[in-house]
Amino acid sequence: MHGSGRLLTLAQGSVAQKMSVTPADVLATVIHRIRQPSGSVACVASYDPHERVWNPPMPLLFQRQIGMDTRAIPAGTIRDWICRSLPDTGPADTGREGAGQTSSAGPDLAHVW
């Protein structure tokens, strides 16, 4: 991968690999993983917790296979995965000691998709 993207650490066992990735690289990887054999992206219904309604099926980027069903991954789950994969940062990190710290025991972001 090339470009002046952010540095991403991917851990496999005890070996850590570092590579530079751009937002386009991440988006391409997500789309590649959710594509069906025909090349299309499955349409899935998602729940809107703010409106408390189910949205009609649409091709969402964050979805997963559970048994025979394809389901949307809730925003809170994605937020948790990101926070766990970046233990030294977080959405609430304001530079204060202890702010935004999360457990590093969570899954590596590269392995949860």
Side-chain angles (χ1 to χ4, degrees), residues 57-68:
M58 60 184 89
L60 300 175
L61 284 178
F62 298 105
Q63 53 180 272
R64 62 180 164 194
Q65 195 75 24
I66 300 178
M68 296 297 292

Side-chain angles (χ1 to χ4, degrees), residues 12-95:
Q12 286 186 333
S14 62
V15 178
Q17 300 173 357
K18 292 185 180 185
M19 66 179 89
S20 179
V21 296
T22 63
D25 295 327
V26 173
L27 183 59
T29 300
V30 170
I31 292 172
H32 175 75
R33 290 181 182 182
I34 64 170
R35 276 196 175 155
Q36 297 176 340
S38 66
S40 65
V41 174
C43 291
V44 296
S46 62
Y47 184 72
D48 183 340
H50 301 291
E51 297 291 330
R52 297 183 182 182
V53 296
W54 283 92
N55 294 317
M58 60 184 89
L60 300 175
L61 284 178
F62 298 105
Q63 53 180 272
R64 62 180 164 194
Q65 195 75 24
I66 300 178
M68 296 297 292
D69 293 333
T70 303
R71 297 185 185 170
I73 301 173
T77 301
I78 296 167
R79 187 173 29 259
D80 290 345
W81 287 342
I82 291 170
C83 289
R84 287 183 196 152
S85 69
L86 303 171
D88 296 332
T89 63
D93 190 359
T94 60

